[in-house]
Amino acid sequence: MPVPRWGLALSGGGLLGAAHLGVVQALDDMGLRPDVLAGTSAGGLVVGLLALDVPVAALTERARQVVREPWRYFPPSFHGFWDEIRGHGPPASGLLDPRPFLRDLLALAPWASTTADWRRPTATPAVDLVRLRPVAFVRAPVRPPRRGGGWAVVAGAPLEVALHGTMAMPGLYTGVVDGGALYVDGGSADTLPLDWAVALGAQRVLAVDVTPPGRAASPDMDIRQVLQRVQDFSTADAAALRRPRRPVLTLLPDTSGVPFFGFSDFDRLVEAGYAEARRKAPAIRRFLAGGTGVYVRGGG
């Protein structure tokens, strides 16, 4: 029996996205290579590099270097706020500038320059704050999902724009200006892009949701937690509305207990993703061969 064309959809989640690397490594060890890729925010970074055929081991090692010295890759943009207050220079759209980080990641595929270089159908959602509409960066023009409408499709964008746009959590990371748009984190529109995997041709979708289950939090939050909770709230209903009418199997790595900037937990998160995929290996193989999928929390 031929294996149905299948897609991998990876959720947002900031540092928790390290668990995606473990899942992808486990799938690779199992000889499973998705035909279609879709990812938001942290998940968008992972699929954006996988679509360039960057080995997951190389991507994991590069990410490990980043979490050891994060200040080298995410310089502050405080000067922008100061210039804005004084009325000099352009305004700052976020606290940290992720461009050094993105350029370091893209150095893993120095031959590639735009999303047209992706070697598999791939989508990384973002939001255009100028036009207040969801946007998906893709390899080539494609019809967007029917539900949760209003999508703009941008094909052949510079890779740095596509990856910066999908990961730029509003207020924390500076957004990216391109073609009259200001792009910010795709999690504001589609935190687990199952619908985009289907739009790109997947008949079945293996999803990975790294966000811990929603629960009440302490009112003593810092700015990072406030930004994350606001985004979680704004995306919950949208995720439920965009569940595709295709079989979905969702993996839920244990990412609980990791603080927003818990860089020391990187290896534990990678292992959590690997362990979840290996534990579910029989179910994954059955599902991809035509077995029943299940809907779980988040977009899945």
Side-chain angles (χ1 to χ4, degrees), residues 6-10 17 19-28 32-39 42-60 105-106 108-109 111-112 115 117-124 139 159 163 206 208:
W6 68 282
L8 181 66
L10 304 182
H20 291 316
L21 298 170
V23 170
V24 174
Q25 184 62 66
L27 296 175
D28 197 50
L32 298 175
R33 184 179 189 271
D35 304 296
V36 166
L37 297 164
L45 297 180
V46 174
V47 302
L49 274 295
L50 292 179
L52 297 171
D53 287 344
V54 173
V56 64
L59 180 54
T60 301
L105 282 186
L106 289 171
L108 292 170
W111 54 269
T115 60
D117 294 314
W118 280 337
R119 291 175 170 173
R120 281 175 274 180
T122 301
T124 58
R139 181 176 67 170
L159 284 165
L163 299 188
L206 179 64
V208 185

Coordinates of all heavy atoms in Angstrom, one line a residue, residues 6-10 17 19-28 32-39 42-60 105-106 108-109 111-112 115 117-124 139 159 163 206 208:
W6 N 2.4 13.2 3.1 CA 2.1 13.7 4.4 C 3.0 14.9 4.7 O 4.0 15.2 4.1 CB 2.4 12.6 5.5 CG 3.8 12.2 5.6 CD1 4.5 11.3 4.8 CD2 4.7 12.6 6.7 NE1 5.8 11.1 5.3 CE2 5.9 11.9 6.4 CE3 4.6 13.4 7.8 CZ2 7.0 12.0 7.3 CZ3 5.7 13.5 8.6 CH2 6.9 12.8 8.4
G7 N 2.4 15.7 5.7 CA 3.1 16.9 6.0 C 3.5 17.0 7.5 O 2.8 16.3 8.3
L8 N 4.4 17.8 7.8 CA 4.9 18.0 9.2 C 4.5 19.5 9.6 O 5.0 20.4 8.9 CB 6.4 17.8 9.4 CG 7.0 17.9 10.8 CD1 6.4 16.9 11.7 CD2 8.5 17.9 10.7
A9 N 3.8 19.7 10.6 CA 3.4 21.0 11.1 C 4.0 21.2 12.5 O 3.7 20.4 13.4 CB 1.9 21.2 11.1
L10 N 4.7 22.3 12.6 CA 5.4 22.6 13.9 C 4.9 23.9 14.5 O 4.8 24.9 13.8 CB 6.9 22.7 13.7 CG 7.6 21.5 13.0 CD1 9.1 21.7 12.9 CD2 7.3 20.2 13.8
G17 N 10.6 25.4 21.2 CA 10.8 24.9 19.9 C 12.0 24.0 19.8 O 12.1 23.2 18.8
A19 N 12.3 21.4 21.2 CA 11.7 20.0 21.2 C 11.5 19.6 19.8 O 11.5 18.4 19.5 CB 10.5 20.0 22.1
H20 N 11.2 20.5 18.9 CA 11.0 20.2 17.5 C 12.2 19.5 16.9 O 12.1 18.5 16.1 CB 10.7 21.4 16.6 CG 9.4 22.1 16.9 ND1 8.2 21.4 17.1 CD2 9.0 23.4 17.1 CE1 7.2 22.2 17.3 NE2 7.7 23.4 17.3
L21 N 13.4 19.9 17.3 CA 14.6 19.3 16.8 C 14.7 17.9 17.2 O 15.1 17.0 16.4 CB 15.8 20.1 17.3 CG 15.9 21.6 16.9 CD1 17.0 22.3 17.6 CD2 16.1 21.7 15.4
G22 N 14.3 17.6 18.4 CA 14.4 16.2 18.8 C 13.4 15.3 18.1 O 13.7 14.2 17.7
V23 N 12.2 15.8 17.8 CA 11.2 15.1 17.0 C 11.7 14.8 15.6 O 11.6 13.7 15.1 CB 9.8 15.9 17.0 CG1 8.9 15.2 16.0 CG2 9.2 15.9 18.3
V24 N 12.2 15.9 15.0 CA 12.7 15.7 13.6 C 13.9 14.7 13.6 O 13.9 13.9 12.6 CB 13.1 17.1 13.0 CG1 13.8 16.9 11.7 CG2 11.9 18.0 12.9
Q25 N 14.7 14.7 14.6 CA 15.8 13.8 14.6 C 15.3 12.4 14.7 O 15.8 11.4 14.0 CB 16.8 14.1 15.8 CG 18.0 13.2 15.8 CD 18.9 13.3 14.6 OE1 19.5 14.4 14.4 NE2 19.0 12.3 13.8
A26 N 14.3 12.2 15.6 CA 13.7 10.8 15.7 C 13.1 10.4 14.4 O 13.2 9.2 14.0 CB 12.7 10.8 16.8
L27 N 12.3 11.3 13.7 CA 11.7 10.9 12.4 C 12.8 10.5 11.4 O 12.7 9.6 10.7 CB 10.9 12.1 11.9 CG 9.6 12.5 12.7 CD1 9.0 13.7 12.1 CD2 8.6 11.3 12.8
D28 N 13.9 11.3 11.4 CA 15.0 11.0 10.5 C 15.6 9.6 10.8 O 15.9 8.9 9.9 CB 16.1 12.1 10.7 CG 17.0 12.1 9.5 OD1 16.6 12.2 8.4 OD2 18.3 12.1 9.8
L32 N 11.7 8.6 8.1 CA 10.5 9.3 7.7 C 10.8 10.7 7.3 O 11.3 11.5 8.2 CB 9.5 9.3 8.9 CG 9.0 7.9 9.3 CD1 8.1 8.0 10.5 CD2 8.3 7.2 8.2
R33 N 10.5 11.0 6.1 CA 10.8 12.4 5.6 C 9.5 13.0 5.1 O 8.9 12.5 4.1 CB 11.8 12.3 4.4 CG 12.3 13.7 3.9 CD 13.3 13.4 2.8 NE 13.9 14.7 2.4 CZ 13.5 15.5 1.4 NH1 12.4 15.1 0.8 NH2 14.1 16.6 1.0
P34 N 9.1 14.1 5.7 CA 7.8 14.7 5.2 C 7.9 15.2 3.8 O 8.9 15.8 3.4 CB 7.5 15.8 6.3 CG 8.9 16.1 6.8 CD 9.7 14.8 6.8
D35 N 6.8 15.2 3.1 CA 6.7 15.7 1.8 C 6.4 17.2 1.8 O 6.8 17.9 0.9 CB 5.5 15.1 1.0 CG 5.7 13.6 0.9 OD1 6.6 13.1 0.3 OD2 4.8 12.9 1.5
V36 N 5.8 17.7 2.9 CA 5.4 19.1 3.0 C 5.8 19.6 4.4 O 5.7 18.8 5.4 CB 3.8 19.1 2.8 CG1 3.3 20.5 3.3 CG2 3.4 18.9 1.4
L37 N 6.1 20.8 4.5 CA 6.5 21.4 5.8 C 5.7 22.7 6.1 O 5.6 23.5 5.2 CB 8.0 21.7 5.8 CG 9.0 20.6 5.6 CD1 10.4 21.0 5.2 CD2 9.0 19.7 6.9
A38 N 5.3 22.9 7.3 CA 4.7 24.1 7.7 C 5.0 24.4 9.2 O 5.0 23.5 10.0 CB 3.2 24.1 7.5
G39 N 5.4 25.6 9.5 CA 5.8 25.9 10.8 C 5.7 27.4 11.2 O 5.9 28.2 10.3
A42 N 9.0 29.5 16.2 CA 10.2 28.6 16.4 C 10.0 27.4 15.4 O 11.0 27.0 14.8 CB 10.2 28.1 17.8
G43 N 8.8 27.0 15.2 CA 8.6 25.9 14.2 C 8.9 26.4 12.8 O 9.4 25.6 12.0
G44 N 8.6 27.6 12.5 CA 9.0 28.2 11.2 C 10.5 28.2 11.0 O 10.9 28.0 9.8
L45 N 11.2 28.5 12.0 CA 12.7 28.5 11.8 C 13.2 27.1 11.5 O 14.0 26.9 10.6 CB 13.4 29.0 13.1 CG 13.1 30.4 13.6 CD1 13.8 30.7 14.9 CD2 13.5 31.4 12.5
V46 N 12.6 26.1 12.2 CA 13.0 24.7 11.9 C 12.7 24.3 10.5 O 13.5 23.8 9.8 CB 12.4 23.8 13.0 CG1 12.7 22.3 12.6 CG2 12.9 24.1 14.4
V47 N 11.4 24.5 10.1 CA 11.0 24.0 8.8 C 11.7 24.8 7.7 O 12.0 24.3 6.6 CB 9.5 24.0 8.6 CG1 8.8 23.2 9.6 CG2 8.9 25.4 8.5
G48 N 12.0 26.1 8.0 CA 12.7 26.9 7.0 C 14.1 26.4 6.7 O 14.5 26.6 5.5
L49 N 14.7 25.8 7.6 CA 16.1 25.3 7.4 C 16.0 23.8 6.9 O 16.8 23.5 6.0 CB 16.9 25.3 8.7 CG 17.7 26.6 9.0 CD1 18.8 26.8 8.0 CD2 16.8 27.8 9.1
L50 N 15.0 23.1 7.4 CA 14.8 21.7 6.8 C 14.5 21.7 5.3 O 14.9 20.9 4.6 CB 13.7 21.0 7.6 CG 14.0 20.7 9.1 CD1 12.7 20.0 9.7 CD2 15.2 19.8 9.2
A51 N 13.7 22.7 4.9 CA 13.3 22.9 3.5 C 14.5 23.2 2.6 O 14.4 23.0 1.4 CB 12.3 23.9 3.4
L52 N 15.6 23.6 3.2 CA 16.9 23.8 2.5 C 17.8 22.6 2.6 O 19.0 22.7 2.2 CB 17.6 25.1 3.0 CG 16.8 26.4 2.9 CD1 17.5 27.5 3.7 CD2 16.7 26.8 1.4
D53 N 17.3 21.5 3.1 CA 18.0 20.3 3.3 C 19.2 20.4 4.3 O 20.2 19.7 4.1 CB 18.5 19.7 2.0 CG 17.3 19.1 1.2 OD1 16.3 18.9 1.8 OD2 17.5 18.9 -0.1
V54 N 19.1 21.3 5.2 CA 20.1 21.4 6.3 C 19.9 20.2 7.2 O 18.7 20.0 7.7 CB 19.9 22.7 7.1 CG1 20.9 22.8 8.3 CG2 20.2 23.9 6.2
P55 N 20.9 19.4 7.5 CA 20.7 18.3 8.4 C 20.3 18.7 9.8 O 20.8 19.7 10.3 CB 22.1 17.6 8.4 CG 22.8 18.1 7.2 CD 22.2 19.5 6.9
V56 N 19.3 18.0 10.4 CA 18.8 18.4 11.7 C 19.9 18.4 12.7 O 19.9 19.2 13.7 CB 17.6 17.5 12.1 CG1 18.1 16.0 12.3 CG2 17.0 18.0 13.4
A57 N 20.9 17.5 12.6 CA 22.0 17.5 13.5 C 22.8 18.8 13.5 O 23.2 19.3 14.5 CB 23.0 16.3 13.3
A58 N 23.1 19.3 12.3 CA 23.8 20.5 12.1 C 23.0 21.7 12.7 O 23.5 22.6 13.3 CB 24.1 20.8 10.6
L59 N 21.7 21.7 12.4 CA 20.8 22.7 13.0 C 20.8 22.7 14.5 O 20.8 23.8 15.1 CB 19.4 22.6 12.4 CG 18.3 23.6 12.8 CD1 18.8 25.0 12.5 CD2 17.0 23.3 12.1
T60 N 20.7 21.5 15.1 CA 20.7 21.4 16.5 C 22.0 21.9 17.1 O 22.0 22.6 18.1 CB 20.5 19.9 16.9 OG1 19.2 19.5 16.4 CG2 20.4 19.8 18.4
L105 N 22.0 31.3 11.4 CA 21.3 30.1 10.9 C 21.4 29.9 9.4 O 21.7 28.8 8.9 CB 19.9 30.2 11.4 CG 19.5 29.9 12.8 CD1 18.0 29.9 12.9 CD2 20.0 28.6 13.3
L106 N 21.2 31.0 8.7 CA 21.1 30.9 7.2 C 22.5 30.6 6.6 O 22.6 30.1 5.5 CB 20.5 32.1 6.6 CG 19.0 32.3 6.9 CD1 18.5 33.6 6.4 CD2 18.3 31.1 6.1
L108 N 24.1 28.2 7.4 CA 24.1 26.7 7.2 C 23.7 26.3 5.7 O 23.9 25.2 5.3 CB 23.2 26.0 8.2 CG 23.6 26.1 9.6 CD1 22.4 25.7 10.5 CD2 24.8 25.3 9.9
A109 N 23.1 27.3 5.0 CA 22.8 27.0 3.6 C 23.2 28.3 2.8 O 22.3 29.0 2.3 CB 21.3 26.8 3.5
W111 N 24.2 28.8 -0.1 CA 23.8 28.9 -1.5 C 22.4 29.4 -1.7 O 22.0 29.8 -2.8 CB 23.8 27.5 -2.1 CG 23.0 26.5 -1.3 CD1 23.5 25.7 -0.2 CD2 21.7 26.1 -1.4 NE1 22.5 24.9 0.2 CE2 21.3 25.2 -0.5 CE3 20.7 26.6 -2.3 CZ2 20.1 24.6 -0.3 CZ3 19.4 26.0 -2.2 CH2 19.1 25.1 -1.2
A112 N 21.6 29.5 -0.6 CA 20.1 29.8 -0.7 C 20.0 31.3 -0.4 O 20.6 31.9 0.5 CB 19.3 29.0 0.2
T115 N 12.9 32.1 -0.5 CA 12.1 30.9 -0.3 C 11.8 30.1 -1.6 O 11.4 28.9 -1.5 CB 10.7 31.3 0.3 OG1 10.0 32.2 -0.7 CG2 10.8 32.1 1.6
D117 N 14.1 28.9 -3.0 CA 15.2 27.9 -2.9 C 14.8 26.7 -2.0 O 15.5 25.7 -1.9 CB 16.5 28.5 -2.4 CG 17.1 29.5 -3.3 OD1 17.2 29.1 -4.5 OD2 17.5 30.6 -2.9
W118 N 13.6 26.8 -1.3 CA 13.1 25.7 -0.5 C 12.9 24.5 -1.5 O 12.4 24.6 -2.6 CB 11.8 26.0 0.2 CG 12.0 26.9 1.4 CD1 13.1 26.9 2.2 CD2 11.1 27.7 2.0 NE1 12.9 27.8 3.2 CE2 11.7 28.3 3.2 CE3 9.7 28.0 1.7 CZ2 11.0 29.1 4.0 CZ3 9.1 28.9 2.5 CH2 9.7 29.5 3.7
R119 N 13.3 23.3 -1.0 CA 13.3 22.1 -1.9 C 12.1 21.3 -1.6 O 11.9 20.2 -2.3 CB 14.6 21.3 -1.6 CG 15.8 22.0 -2.2 CD 17.1 21.4 -1.9 NE 18.2 22.0 -2.6 CZ 19.5 21.7 -2.5 NH1 19.8 20.7 -1.6 NH2 20.4 22.3 -3.2
R120 N 11.2 21.7 -0.7 CA 9.9 21.1 -0.5 C 8.9 22.1 -0.4 O 9.2 23.2 0.1 CB 9.9 20.2 0.7 CG 10.6 18.8 0.5 CD 10.7 18.1 1.9 NE 11.9 18.4 2.6 CZ 12.2 17.9 3.8 NH1 11.4 17.0 4.4 NH2 13.3 18.3 4.4
P121 N 7.6 21.8 -0.7 CA 6.5 22.8 -0.4 C 6.6 23.2 1.1 O 6.5 22.3 2.0 CB 5.3 22.1 -0.7 CG 5.7 21.1 -1.8 CD 7.1 20.6 -1.3
T122 N 6.7 24.5 1.4 CA 6.9 24.9 2.8 C 6.1 26.2 3.0 O 6.0 27.0 2.1 CB 8.4 25.1 3.1 OG1 9.1 23.9 2.8 CG2 8.6 25.6 4.5
A123 N 5.6 26.4 4.2 CA 5.0 27.7 4.6 C 5.4 28.1 6.0 O 5.4 27.3 6.9 CB 3.4 27.5 4.5
T124 N 5.6 29.4 6.1 CA 5.9 30.0 7.4 C 5.0 31.2 7.6 O 5.2 32.2 7.0 CB 7.4 30.4 7.6 OG1 7.7 31.4 6.6 CG2 8.3 29.2 7.5
R139 N 7.1 28.8 -1.1 CA 8.1 28.6 -2.2 C 7.6 29.2 -3.5 O 8.3 29.9 -4.2 CB 8.5 27.2 -2.3 CG 9.5 26.8 -3.3 CD 9.8 25.4 -3.4 NE 8.7 24.5 -3.8 CZ 8.9 23.2 -4.0 NH1 10.0 22.6 -3.9 NH2 7.8 22.5 -4.4
L159 N 14.9 34.9 2.3 CA 14.8 33.9 3.5 C 14.8 34.6 4.8 O 14.1 34.3 5.7 CB 15.9 32.9 3.4 CG 15.7 31.8 2.3 CD1 17.0 31.0 2.1 CD2 14.6 30.8 2.8
L163 N 11.9 34.2 7.7 CA 12.1 33.6 9.0 C 12.0 34.7 10.1 O 11.6 34.4 11.2 CB 13.5 32.9 9.0 CG 13.7 31.8 8.0 CD1 15.1 31.1 8.3 CD2 12.6 30.8 8.1
L206 N 1.3 15.2 10.5 CA 1.8 14.9 11.7 C 2.2 16.3 12.4 O 3.0 17.0 11.8 CB 3.1 14.1 11.6 CG 3.8 13.7 12.9 CD1 2.9 12.9 13.8 CD2 5.1 13.0 12.6
V208 N 3.3 18.8 15.7 CA 4.1 18.8 17.0 C 3.7 20.1 17.7 O 4.0 21.2 17.2 CB 5.6 18.7 16.8 CG1 6.3 18.6 18.1 CG2 5.9 17.5 15.9

